[in-house]
Amino acid sequence: MVYQYIVGVVLASLLGFVLSYSFRSGKKITATRASMDQIKRNGFVKTLENSTCGPEIAGSTTDVIIVGAGVAGAALAYTLGKDGRRVHLIERDLTEPDRIVGELLQPGGYLKLVELGLEDCVNEIDAQNVYGYALYKDGRNTRLPYPLENLSPDVAGRSFHNGRFIQRLREKATSLTNVRLEQGTVTALLEEKGTVKGVHYRTKTGQELTAHAPLTVVCDGCFSNLRRSLCKPMVDIPSCFVGLVLENCDLPYANHGHVVLGDPSPILFYPISGTEIRCLVDVPGQKVPSVANGEMSQYLKTVVAPQVPPELYNAFISAVDKGNIKSMPNRSMPAAPHPTPGALLMGDAFNMRHPLTGGGMTVALSDIAVLRDLLSPLRNLNDAYSLCNYLESFYTLRKPVASTINTLAGALYKVFCASPDPARKEMRQACFDYLSLGGVFSTGPVSLLSGLNPRPLSLVLHFFAVAVYGVGRLLLPFPSPKRMWIGARLITGASGIIFPIIKAEGVRQMFFPITVPAYHRSAPPDH
């Protein structure tokens, strides 16, 4: 087949190109069962025994302070607690969150849940199995299944209400006697001579306290007010998600996420319970039409509704009329840490990507597994400087999974958005047609998106294979100067999309992590 020949040639030649580019552009690292009734009744699961005795908690009672009990914080608390660490988990609000993101866990993320012993947290919350995607464009659609054939039958994506999942994680964490969950607002990190010794926080009752621990992990989410002292936050907000819940309807492809390549940008549908379907409408830019004056309703009915699959149209209009419309800025932030003795950033406080591909929780759970493995050999964490130097390897060891998912999310979003540019239009169409070919052309990209194949080089090769496929469509059967020009601009545009993302991720860490000195650091001796 001519396409296989074209792809084969480009894969071979591109490998050499990526290798040479990587060496030129490499850069350094700059581096929680308590019952739900109890949570609702007390506002926290476990209080600190001497929280009423004074403004300070004895440091000897805690090994790790975790700020934030969302997905990352609660999962980390359980993981470290299971390893015997004494964990103090502080969360601003212990009521069940109500968010429109963090609702889809990819199969790779589910495998990390299993690895961490948290797979039962998707039980009893009406979570739905997800087996792949359906992609829609201009009246055509194609099904993209996850490559799950050689995996255990329980392995699949999971979609759910984010708040229900978080509450289950909190229950799981506090099932351990050495994990203490407290409701409180961390106001600042406690620093002494450049080393983080703990946190200042305010309890639910307004009492100002200080907690000490040799290691503080900040997991306070995308709105983190602590990240600035631990990293260089370069937050980009390319768009906003507008969220609706569709009821009493069925997806065209059961147990699949649906992505509509709409104009101006993608529209997503996926189940979050047995009777509810989440719809996320991407609105480019940082401002969305006003809900209060009816602009949003008008926009959804006139611009978005005509592009919705017919099977979902009536439910979509009903959801708009119901009026429970929420919005959320879509943030992207590459990991740019300042290695700081006594502290570590994780989760959305540390690294974010466009939520189009639903990869955030997979990255966070993978990071937790990496950190667990690094800390496992250590009996104590008291040597802050040695620990900080050792944990610099975390930033490199996390790269295969994190950089693959981050890069794919950013690149796919740009490709999936509509554009008046003929080259961008061709790239968008080429992506849809390439994925529609099936076989390796479908399973390769989907395995990357699902977190089942975290290989950055494979991502780059597939991305440029799409570009070359698009050029081949332009030049066959007979090229013309105009088509050749569009083809050249297509390749240039593809490079302009993916290479800045790769540069921000770190070329050396992404493609050649073994060459980074921190990769080889051994655990410091215990004292």
Side-chain angles (χ1 to χ4, degrees), residues 32-36 39 45 69-71 74-75 78 94-97 113 117-127 160-175 181:
T32 166
R33 163 174 177 181
S35 69
M36 295 296 291
I39 291 177
V45 178
V71 172
Y78 175 77
L94 286 173
T95 60
E96 182 175 306
L113 271 189
L118 290 164
E119 66 273 19
D120 56 341
C121 290
V122 295
N123 300 335
E124 302 177 11
I125 60 172
D126 199 15
F160 38 67
H161 282 268
N162 171 266
R164 297 176 187 175
F165 181 54
I166 287 177
Q167 294 299 74
R168 289 284 286 138
L169 288 171
R170 292 171 178 174
E171 290 179 46
K172 187 79 171 183
T174 55
S175 68
L181 174 60

Side-chain angles (χ1 to χ4, degrees), residues 46-268:
K46 295 181 180 180
T47 57
L48 300 174
E49 291 180 359
N50 51 347
S51 62
T52 59
C53 297
E56 185 171 323
I57 305 302
S60 62
T61 65
T62 304
D63 295 314
V64 182
I65 293 170
I66 300 176
V67 182
V71 172
L76 179 62
Y78 175 77
T79 301
L80 298 183
K82 192 171 63 170
D83 277 0
R85 310 286 181 189
R86 296 164 296 183
V87 179
H88 182 187
L89 180 59
I90 306 174
E91 165 58 37
R92 180 183 60 82
D93 186 355
L94 286 173
T95 60
E96 182 175 306
D98 184 11
R99 303 179 65 204
I100 63 171
V101 293
E103 297 174 316
L104 177 61
L105 180 66
Q106 297 287 359
Y110 178 77
L111 286 174
K112 290 300 177 182
L113 271 189
V114 174
E115 182 182 338
L116 298 173
L118 290 164
E119 66 273 19
D120 56 341
C121 290
V122 295
N123 300 335
E124 302 177 11
I125 60 172
D126 199 15
Q128 304 296 299
N129 286 6
V130 179
Y131 297 108
Y133 284 87
L135 195 60
Y136 285 73
K137 185 180 185 297
D138 299 333
R140 295 174 54 202
N141 67 82
T142 185
R143 177 176 169 269
L144 309 173
Y146 291 136
L148 305 173
E149 295 81 6
N150 300 320
L151 299 173
S152 172
D154 68 305
V155 178
R158 296 292 193 280
S159 52
F160 38 67
H161 282 268
N162 171 266
R164 297 176 187 175
F165 181 54
I166 287 177
Q167 294 299 74
R168 289 284 286 138
L169 288 171
R170 292 171 178 174
E171 290 179 46
K172 187 79 171 183
T174 55
S175 68
L176 302 174
T177 58
N178 52 321
V179 175
R180 301 175 292 176
L181 174 60
E182 181 178 16
Q183 181 163 318
T185 301
V186 174
T187 55
L189 299 176
L190 173 62
E191 293 190 48
E192 295 179 10
K193 299 179 180 179
T195 299
V196 174
K197 299 287 189 177
V199 298
H200 298 289
Y201 70 104
R202 184 170 55 252
T203 68
K204 184 182 179 181
T205 60
Q207 186 178 11
E208 300 285 345
L209 296 177
T210 298
H212 290 82
L215 179 62
T216 298
V217 184
V218 176
C219 304
D220 56 346
C222 62
F223 300 105
S224 174
N225 63 346
L226 302 175
R227 65 160 68 103
R228 289 190 175 276
S229 59
L230 302 175
C231 77
K232 293 189 296 185
M234 296 174 286
V235 181
D236 180 37
I237 305 179
S239 64
C240 298
F241 265 153
V242 174
L244 302 164
V245 174
L246 279 57
E247 299 174 324
N248 304 315
C249 65
D250 296 318
L251 288 164
Y253 293 88
N255 299 101
H256 282 65
H258 292 56
V259 182
V260 180
L261 303 189
D263 186 358
S265 50
I267 308 162
L268 311 181

Side-chain angles (χ1 to χ4, degrees), residues 8 385 511:
Y385 287 96
F511 294 103

Side-chain angles (χ1 to χ4, degrees), residues 17-27 507-508 512 515:
F17 171 75
V18 170
L19 290 174
S20 63
Y21 180 88
S22 300
F23 279 117
R24 291 197 312 269
S25 305
K27 67 176 186 178
V507 178
R508 187 178 177 189
F512 309 103
T515 69

Side-chain angles (χ1 to χ4, degrees), residues 38 134 210 251 276 284 328 342 383 430:
Q38 191 176 8
T210 298
L251 288 164
E276 299 165 298
M328 176 82 174
D383 189 337

Side-chain angles (χ1 to χ4, degrees), residues 176-389:
L176 302 174
T177 58
N178 52 321
V179 175
R180 301 175 292 176
L181 174 60
E182 181 178 16
Q183 181 163 318
T185 301
V186 174
T187 55
L189 299 176
L190 173 62
E191 293 190 48
E192 295 179 10
K193 299 179 180 179
T195 299
V196 174
K197 299 287 189 177
V199 298
H200 298 289
Y201 70 104
R202 184 170 55 252
T203 68
K204 184 182 179 181
T205 60
Q207 186 178 11
E208 300 285 345
L209 296 177
T210 298
H212 290 82
L215 179 62
T216 298
V217 184
V218 176
C219 304
D220 56 346
C222 62
F223 300 105
S224 174
N225 63 346
L226 302 175
R227 65 160 68 103
R228 289 190 175 276
S229 59
L230 302 175
C231 77
K232 293 189 296 185
M234 296 174 286
V235 181
D236 180 37
I237 305 179
S239 64
C240 298
F241 265 153
V242 174
L244 302 164
V245 174
L246 279 57
E247 299 174 324
N248 304 315
C249 65
D250 296 318
L251 288 164
Y253 293 88
N255 299 101
H256 282 65
H258 292 56
V259 182
V260 180
L261 303 189
D263 186 358
S265 50
I267 308 162
L268 311 181
F269 299 90
Y270 51 87
I272 55 173
S273 74
T275 60
E276 299 165 298
I277 295 169
R278 169 67 71 195
C279 171
L280 293 176
V281 178
D282 185 85
V283 179
Q286 300 184 23
K287 299 179 70 175
V288 298
S290 171
V291 174
N293 65 14
E295 288 180 359
M296 177 63 76
S297 177
Q298 181 71 9
Y299 177 82
L300 294 174
K301 288 183 176 181
T302 60
V303 176
V304 179
Q307 304 179 72
V308 170
E311 299 92 333
L312 302 174
Y313 181 85
N314 290 336
F316 180 84
I317 295 297
S318 295
V320 174
D321 289 338
K322 190 174 180 179
N324 188 19
I325 303 171
K326 299 180 179 179
S327 65
M328 176 82 174
N330 293 326
R331 292 173 168 82
S332 177
M333 186 185 78
H338 294 311
T340 304
L344 195 71
L345 271 172
M346 291 192 74
D348 283 350
F350 170 53
N351 182 206
M352 294 179 283
R353 76 292 308 150
H354 196 284
L356 172 69
T357 60
M361 290 187 290
T362 300
V363 172
L365 294 170
S366 176
D367 285 355
I368 290 168
V370 171
L371 182 61
R372 175 203 60 189
D373 293 343
L374 286 171
L375 294 180
S376 288
L378 306 180
R379 289 195 298 269
N380 72 73
L381 310 173
N382 292 313
D383 189 337
Y385 287 96
S386 295
L387 181 62
C388 178
N389 183 62

